[in-house]
Amino acid sequence: MEDCSWDMLARDRIGKQLVRAGDSIGANIAKGSGRGTDPEIRGFLRVARGSLYETQHWWRRAYQRKLLSEKQVNELLPLVKELTPKLNAYLRSIGTLEKRNRAVVTQV
């Protein structure tokens, strides 16, 4: 990736928000994984998904303000395109195995 030479205001406003939102994705996935119940895990995964969308927002802002080049955006885009469906699939999968197991026990 190209060297980032943002001015102080851009680093302070957009840069910090971008880093916080991006860091929050992994942090909330990890935090949720350490919880014991499906509702807690799903809650943290939803926060992670929100942080992913926020990260995309700040990337768009950085691009619109000419802080990121088209080349840089094109390098980042595959990450979002890969992570978004994986995170959504993980979120949907939480609790489904437990529900299926209960349904089988109830039928017996």
Side-chain angles (χ1 to χ4, degrees), residues 28-44 90:
N28 279 290
I29 292 170
K31 200 182 300 186
S33 297
R35 299 300 173 137
T37 68
D38 289 346
E40 286 180 303
I41 296 168
R42 278 193 295 273
F44 281 102
Y90 181 38

Side-chain angles (χ1 to χ4, degrees), residues 4-15 65-67:
C4 183
S5 55
W6 295 9
D7 66 35
M8 188 61 123
L9 180 64
R11 275 197 309 269
D12 189 54
R13 300 291 171 130
I14 295 177
R65 295 176 186 176
K66 310 241 185 289
L67 300 170

Side-chain angles (χ1 to χ4, degrees), residues 27-97:
N28 279 290
I29 292 170
K31 200 182 300 186
S33 297
R35 299 300 173 137
T37 68
D38 289 346
E40 286 180 303
I41 296 168
R42 278 193 295 273
F44 281 102
L45 290 178
R46 286 186 187 104
V47 173
R49 185 173 56 189
S51 295
L52 175 61
Y53 295 155
E54 182 183 354
T55 301
Q56 290 174 286
H57 165 79
W58 288 115
W59 281 347
R60 281 191 297 274
R61 285 282 184 252
Y63 178 71
Q64 290 167 347
R65 295 176 186 176
K66 310 241 185 289
L67 300 170
L68 289 177
S69 69
E70 189 172 341
K71 180 183 179 214
Q72 289 171 315
V73 170
N74 289 334
E75 289 173 0
L76 295 168
L77 203 53
L79 296 171
V80 173
K81 286 185 176 184
E82 180 181 341
L83 184 56
T84 302
K86 286 183 177 183
L87 187 55
N88 285 326
Y90 181 38
L91 182 56
R92 282 190 308 272
S93 76
I94 301 300
T96 55
L97 181 59

